[in-house]
Amino acid sequence: MRDGQWPRASLLGTSAQYRQRLIELAAGAVLSEALAPEVCIAPEPCTAESAGFDGQWCHALCFAAAPLFTHEFYPLAVDALARDAARYGRPRFALLGVHLDWLDPRGRIGRVLWLDATAGCLRETDLVSPLVPHSAQFLCLGAGEQALHAQWSARLSCPQVNPVAAARLADDKARTLEGWEAADLRVPAWQRGEPGEVGMAQEWLRQCGEVVVKPNGATEGAGVAFFAAGGEAEMAAHLEALWVQDEVLLQERVDELLYRNPQTGTTHTLALRLNVAAVDGCYRAESGSAQVGAGPDRPAAASQGSECRAVDEVLPHLVRREGGQPVSMSAGAWAEGLAAAEAAAGLFAELLLVGVDLVLAIGESGEPVPVLLEANPRPAGLSHSRFVQGPERGLPGVSLRIWDGLERLAPGAGKGGNA
């Protein structure tokens, strides 16, 4: 709809794209709480000038999975506005949501979704003339995300927040762990599980006591499962199922600290996602969120029924997985966690924003210590992200720095209109 008016019946009857977008937006409204403003779909095309972003830096947030994309788009759009207001006193970056189907073979944009800050809504429309993006970023790519990322990253010639070459490394959990080990960063004991190596995996389970089995290339916790000694048969069945789709990674379970809900007293697995931004090789863990699992033995991951919470909401309620005694997170221990995430992001030199996942073990001093698990070049859950340090700590947001990183890559972009 546009400005609360129903679209003309002729549009609903003749425009397949219009009908499809209405269906997708309705599905998103049913599947999730409202974490972004409503989307007003304009039935008529507009120009970049009439939309208000002509002459600005057009940053394309490219997506393929439409439901809930606005939850990832909106916080980044707000961050860009806040950063530009502080830096320039006016908008510099125009964030444009661009479905991959809205790009032509030359990488030009034919349809966009953008934030109309004055009206307080998101707008979506076709463009009268195709737009050439000044930079791009890939999020919410859905099934086949790595192949889609590779295809379109190669096709777009503009600077990218997550170019495919660096993203490939982050998508490979085993290679990432190898790089972190070489940099002397703390990771769980791990090994690859090659097809047919059931006996090796079962013996390793008996040695470790508890292990995590996961696909090497999946994201958001898909296919992840915990197994304890005595569960060798169940683990063998899970391995066989995973090997049909992907390589398998085995990790010792090291999350010694859980989250205890102060209202219910129940305990839950906990994983932290820290979003690290890079500018000229300087890394800063700007924001993050906490995944709280469905119970003490359920992986803390979006695909496993976990809940996303603010980091500052969960850190005061840490308890030992064995025994349940409370454990405090000191300022020094938290600083160590931030530093670990920043060092981990350094492995991906060309990623301007990367999500680093970690869990908390117990150090020799009895304080929490971070253990790095994996990285995500297309971090999700951005609508739940809060700044984790500095004067913005606790406020909603993802990154105020990636726009600096983009400007370093192409300092003249967006100053002369769009091709």
Side-chain angles (χ1 to χ4, degrees):
M1 290 190 294
R2 181 176 64 181
D3 299 333
Q5 297 178 357
W6 290 103
R8 296 194 302 271
S10 60
L11 279 168
L12 289 174
T14 60
S15 174
Q17 185 173 68
Y18 200 98
R19 293 196 305 272
Q20 179 62 29
R21 288 297 291 137
L22 288 177
I23 292 170
E24 289 170 345
L25 292 173
V30 170
L31 291 172
S32 176
E33 59 183 313
L35 298 175
E38 66 175 343
V39 179
C40 299
I41 303 179
E44 305 295 341
C46 75
T47 65
E49 182 178 8
S50 64
F53 47 78
D54 185 50
Q56 295 182 23
W57 181 308
C58 293
H59 180 63
L61 286 166
C62 302
F63 68 101
L68 310 186
F69 166 72
T70 58
H71 294 181
E72 311 300 322
F73 172 84
Y74 179 61
L76 288 170
V78 172
D79 285 351
L81 283 174
R83 178 266 187 184
D84 288 347
R87 179 69 58 85
Y88 301 113
R90 58 176 176 81
R92 167 86 164 103
F93 280 86
L95 267 66
L96 307 176
V98 181
H99 194 287
L100 295 181
D101 289 346
W102 304 346
L103 291 164
D104 69 15
R106 295 168 57 187
R108 299 180 305 174
I109 304 167
R111 183 179 179 87
V112 292
L113 180 149
W114 79 99
L115 173 63
D116 184 337
T118 301
C121 68
L122 300 174
R123 297 193 182 276
E124 180 181 318
T125 183
D126 289 329
L127 295 173
V128 172
S129 300
L131 193 66
V132 177
H134 296 109
S135 58
Q137 183 175 356
F138 299 92
L139 294 172
C140 298
L141 296 184
E145 61 179 349
Q146 294 178 29
L148 286 173
H149 192 164
Q151 175 187 349
W152 284 99
S153 179
R155 188 170 295 183
L156 296 179
S157 59
C158 57
Q160 297 171 19
V161 168
N162 47 358
V164 69
R168 282 198 183 103
L169 174 57
D171 280 326
D172 189 326
K173 294 179 176 62
R175 287 180 60 205
T176 294
L177 290 170
E178 289 173 344
W180 287 342
E181 280 186 318
D184 201 26
L185 298 175
R186 187 183 289 109
V187 300
W190 67 279
Q191 58 183 297
R192 298 176 187 268
E194 301 294 342
E197 293 185 335
V198 174
M200 176 279 295
Q202 291 175 327
E203 178 57 30
W204 204 61
L205 171 59
R206 287 188 284 269
Q207 293 177 9
C208 294
E210 293 183 273
V211 301
V212 184
V213 178
K214 61 178 66 174
N216 188 49
T219 59
E220 303 306 326
V224 177
F226 294 154
F227 296 96
E232 287 83 354
E234 292 83 358
M235 184 178 72
H238 189 67
L239 286 169
E240 295 291 352
L242 293 184
W243 279 325
V244 173
Q245 302 292 333
D246 198 358
E247 297 177 344
V248 172
L249 192 66
L250 304 170
Q251 292 178 314
E252 182 179 11
R253 186 176 176 187
V254 294
D255 59 323
E256 295 179 294
L257 292 177
L258 302 177
Y259 164 72
R260 175 180 284 159
N261 187 311
Q263 278 74 47
T264 65
T266 56
T267 57
H268 306 262
T269 51
L270 174 66
L272 302 181
R273 159 72 57 82
L274 295 177
N275 299 310
V276 183
V279 179
D280 289 340
C282 178
Y283 299 89
R284 182 174 175 84
E286 281 194 274
S287 65
S289 58
Q291 287 285 348
V292 174
D297 291 300
R298 290 282 300 278
S303 65
Q304 306 259 2
S306 65
E307 295 183 358
C308 209
R309 305 279 185 89
V311 171
D312 287 342
E313 179 184 342
V314 303
L315 291 184
H317 306 289
L318 301 176
V319 297
R320 289 177 178 261
R321 183 155 60 90
E322 299 295 334
Q325 297 89 348
V327 175
S328 297
M329 171 73 83
S330 68
W334 179 236
E336 183 180 351
L338 297 176
E342 292 165 355
L347 182 65
F348 316 103
E350 295 181 353
L351 293 181
L352 299 187
L353 183 70
V354 59
V356 176
D357 293 346
L358 56 89
V359 293
L360 297 173
I362 302 172
E364 293 181 359
S365 66
E367 285 203 289
V369 294
V371 184
L372 300 166
L373 295 184
E374 56 191 67
N376 196 316
R378 298 169 298 275
L382 302 184
S383 58
H384 296 282
S385 184
R386 301 289 184 273
F387 290 110
V388 294
Q389 58 178 322
E392 300 88 7
R393 180 167 178 168
L395 296 176
V398 180
S399 175
L400 301 175
R401 303 180 77 242
I402 58 173
W403 322 112
D404 294 342
L406 285 171
E407 286 183 335
R408 300 288 202 283
L409 293 178
K415 295 181 179 179
N418 294 99

